Amino acid sequence: LKCLATLEGHAERVCRIAWHPSSRFIGSTSFDRTWRLWDAETTQELLCQEGHSRAVYTISFQGDGALVATAGLDSYGRIWDLRTGRAVLALAGHVKQVLGLDFCPSGVKCATGSDDNTIRLWDLRKKKSYYTIPAHPNLISSVKYSDCGDFLFSSSYDRTVKVWNLRNCTSVKTLAGHDEKIMRVDVAPGGGMIATASYDRTWKLWSPGHFV
């Protein structure tokens, strides 16, 4: 392996990066209160967008690549149209910083997880939050949809990951085993494995057969 390029432009630390579904573009978020879109082939910066009043922490692309969602320490999420570069929807409702964000596979809904210990589910067609889940007793660090869109995974500083059945918004399983706060949960393509990463210096693999 070798380094192909170094992409520079952010004025403060970079928090998250995410590939666009086309695999040509990369989005990045930063404590400089911006998110940026880069061309991975040319390494050129294509967009530098402002709109958050504090650090932009997380980013997620819609499945067809037309929209991108960002969220951050200002307690807001924002939906952006990549065709124009403009924000088209503010996700307002959380009362503390938003650290987790993911699009539903259908692209018409998304989920956010916050330091206010709640998950909010959003309907982008109706432009509002349609359900709030009091999910954990501590900060929610990430959220991730299953490939089918029927389940949502949330990781938390309470050292657990919870699995939510979105048909009735109930918890169907709690994954416990880490000794410190969990920073991230992710689902393998096809849903064959779940991965979690923790401050305890370990990451774990889980079989979906345990809870689905």
Side-chain angles (χ1 to χ4, degrees):
L1 296 177
K2 64 178 181 179
C3 179
L4 299 178
T6 299
L7 283 64
E8 298 181 349
H10 285 295
E12 296 189 38
R13 86 184 210 199
V14 177
C15 301
R16 291 284 186 273
I17 56 174
W19 283 99
H20 185 271
S22 68
S23 297
R24 176 167 179 176
F25 308 109
I26 303 172
S28 61
T29 63
S30 171
F31 267 60
D32 66 8
R33 304 182 186 182
T34 71
W35 71 271
R36 302 180 190 224
L37 185 72
W38 310 80
D39 188 317
E41 294 183 3
T42 66
T43 71
Q44 295 299 304
E45 179 186 296
L46 303 177
L47 289 173
C48 175
Q49 299 302 99
E50 299 178 341
H52 290 275
S53 61
R54 296 183 64 189
V56 189
Y57 191 81
T58 189
I59 185 169
S60 178
F61 287 99
Q62 188 186 41
D64 67 4
L67 301 177
V68 62
T70 60
L73 306 193
D74 59 1
S75 80
Y76 284 89
R78 294 186 182 277
I79 307 294
W80 307 77
D81 187 334
L82 286 178
R83 294 162 292 192
T84 64
R86 295 180 178 178
V88 294
L89 180 63
L91 307 179
H94 287 294
V95 296
K96 292 186 178 180
Q97 58 191 1
V98 180
L99 304 179
L101 172 67
D102 195 31
F103 269 105
C104 180
S106 69
V108 298
K109 296 178 181 179
C110 69
T112 52
S114 171
D115 193 7
D116 64 14
N117 306 346
T118 70
I119 294 169
R120 281 184 176 262
L121 305 176
W122 306 85
D123 188 319
L124 303 184
R125 294 167 298 187
K126 296 180 179 179
K127 299 184 177 182
K128 66 178 183 179
S129 171
Y130 67 91
Y131 203 86
T132 301
I133 304 173
H136 291 267
N138 208 329
L139 176 153
I140 298 167
S141 54
S142 69
V143 293
K144 185 69 176 180
Y145 279 95
S146 65
D147 280 1
C148 65
D150 292 334
F151 296 91
L152 185 74
F153 303 85
S154 60
S155 64
S156 173
Y157 280 16
D158 68 5
R159 307 180 184 181
T160 71
V161 167
K162 290 190 176 183
V163 187
W164 303 91
N165 183 337
L166 296 182
R167 297 185 185 95
N168 52 22
C169 295
T170 59
S171 174
V172 295
K173 186 70 175 181
T174 298
L175 309 182
H178 283 291
D179 295 327
E180 294 291 343
K181 55 191 177 184
I182 301 176
M183 302 304 297
R184 186 79 170 171
V185 60
D186 204 1
V187 182
M193 286 282 186
I194 311 302
T196 56
S198 169
Y199 254 58
D200 64 13
R201 297 179 290 180
T202 71
W203 61 280
K204 296 181 184 293
L205 290 173
W206 310 79
S207 167
H210 294 164
F211 42 81
V212 178

